Amino acid sequence: MNVNHTIKGIIFDLDGVIVYTDEMHYRAWKHIADRIGVEFNRDINNRLRGVSRMESLEIILENAKPVSDAEKLALSDEKNAIYKKLLESLSEKDVDSDVRRVLRELKKRNIKLAIGSSSKNAGFILKQIKLTDFFDAVSDGNNIEKSKPDPEVFLKAAEFLKLMPSECAVVEDAYAGIDAAKAGGFYSVGIGAASAYDKADMKIHRFSEVLKLATLKK
Ligand code: BG6
Ligand code: MG
């Protein structure tokens, strides 16, 4: 990406970037899949990264016999009830100390911070891990119509921060999230699974490398 702005805001994906909820999503979906007799494994779980709850269910049901819309709604509600129960055990201990240190440092450097997550549980998760107050804005599954790879969640986050997409970087672990960032005109940073994605403008392997963005002249 080639624009002449410095970074004024950073939009972080939540699940898989700030905190690792993958295992909880996996356990909740596994319970549902086992009950209805469809195959579900960690490879399929990886495909759910960044994907909305209902779209995740559609992926899980790819090889199942047809399911009505009402049943789908009941299954996604059941999954969420199990997932939320698991989230109750989440605490600040589940956040890497580096994450807290880096967010504090970014604030000191006057970088605006936002969450850009497909999850409708983002507010609850932030409360559990005691990070709510670190973010100037939260854009999540509750304020969007279209899920990643659509850029809506990040465009809303930038709007909440009162910044242009070209002034913001997006930090993502999902390929769909990097695609969403690129589609919205953001500088994209791949971490975790997305650090292997060639479309990411920057690939990082440790959260502390986010600090490079605070001085980056793109
Ligand atoms: C994303 C996760 O952050 O949120 C996905 O990466 C998940 O795996 C999606 O499906 C929706 O989450 P929720 O909490 O609204 O069911
Ligand atoms: Mg993620």
Side-chain angles (χ1 to χ4, degrees), residues 162-175:
K162 299 191 170 54
L163 292 174
M164 300 295 291
S166 56
E167 296 173 316
C168 300
V170 165
V171 184
E172 256 293 350
D173 72 315
Y175 282 40

Side-chain angles (χ1 to χ4, degrees), residues 10-22 25 48-51 99 103 113-119 122 125-126 129 131 135 137-141 144 147-148 153-154 157 169-178 180-181 189-194 207 210:
I10 304 181
I11 304 167
F12 294 91
D13 172 51
L14 180 63
D15 295 306
V17 172
I18 299 289
V19 66
Y20 301 102
T21 48
D22 292 40
H25 278 296
L48 311 184
R49 228 179 267 279
V51 175
V99 170
L103 293 178
L113 307 179
I115 290 289
S117 165
S118 306
S119 174
I125 294 170
L126 287 171
I129 57 177
L131 280 186
F135 295 95
V138 175
S139 172
D140 64 19
I144 54 169
S147 203
K148 300 168 190 175
V153 74
F154 298 135
V170 165
V171 184
E172 256 293 350
D173 72 315
Y175 282 40
I178 296 291
V189 182
I191 191 168
F207 192 84
V210 166

Side-chain angles (χ1 to χ4, degrees), residues 10-218:
I10 304 181
I11 304 167
F12 294 91
D13 172 51
L14 180 63
D15 295 306
V17 172
I18 299 289
V19 66
Y20 301 102
T21 48
D22 292 40
E23 187 61 23
M24 292 176 179
H25 278 296
Y26 173 76
R27 282 170 61 192
W29 281 128
K30 180 74 179 150
H31 181 90
I32 302 291
D34 285 352
R35 191 170 66 62
I36 62 172
V38 296
E39 199 203 336
F40 184 64
N41 53 37
R42 285 177 199 278
D43 287 339
I44 302 173
N45 195 52
N46 276 339
R47 289 176 57 204
L48 311 184
R49 228 179 267 279
V51 175
S52 74
R53 196 182 307 158
M54 199 45 102
E55 285 165 325
S56 298
L57 180 61
E58 297 287 356
I59 292 173
I60 292 166
L61 294 177
E62 268 170 6
N63 299 315
K65 60 175 176 26
V67 173
S68 72
D69 285 353
E71 279 173 287
K72 283 181 190 168
L73 202 58
L75 289 172
S76 76
D77 283 352
E78 188 185 342
K79 181 266 173 176
N80 194 46
I82 299 167
Y83 178 57
K84 280 199 81 170
K85 197 87 205 128
L86 294 170
L87 286 179
E88 279 171 21
S89 69
L90 204 64
S91 77
E92 52 194 324
K93 290 195 205 95
D94 293 299
V95 179
D96 204 288
S97 59
D98 242 14
V99 170
R100 227 170 271 274
R101 180 180 67 78
V102 168
L103 293 178
R104 217 171 261 132
E105 183 58 33
L106 290 171
K107 281 179 95 66
K108 254 195 240 163
R109 298 190 198 180
N110 288 322
I111 304 283
K112 293 241 181 282
L113 307 179
I115 290 289
S117 165
S118 306
S119 174
K120 293 188 170 163
N121 293 301
F124 183 66
I125 294 170
L126 287 171
K127 204 165 124 236
Q128 290 297 96
I129 57 177
K130 299 203 164 48
L131 280 186
T132 312
D133 295 341
F134 278 74
F135 295 95
D136 302 291
V138 175
S139 172
D140 64 19
N142 298 296
N143 62 254
I144 54 169
E145 299 285 324
K146 286 168 270 165
S147 203
K148 300 168 190 175
D150 190 280
E152 186 181 8
V153 74
F154 298 135
L155 292 172
K156 281 269 157 54
E159 194 184 309
F160 295 159
L161 292 178
K162 299 191 170 54
L163 292 174
M164 300 295 291
S166 56
E167 296 173 316
C168 300
V170 165
V171 184
E172 256 293 350
D173 72 315
Y175 282 40
I178 296 291
D179 289 340
K182 306 281 299 178
F186 296 88
Y187 186 78
S188 63
V189 182
I191 191 168
S195 67
Y197 194 23
D198 54 4
K199 287 199 183 150
D201 294 310
M202 184 193 278
K203 300 169 191 71
I204 61 174
H205 300 280
R206 278 172 297 118
F207 192 84
S208 55
E209 290 178 76
V210 166
L211 286 174
K212 289 182 197 162
L213 293 168
T215 49
L216 186 73
K217 295 258 191 293
K218 293 182 291 167

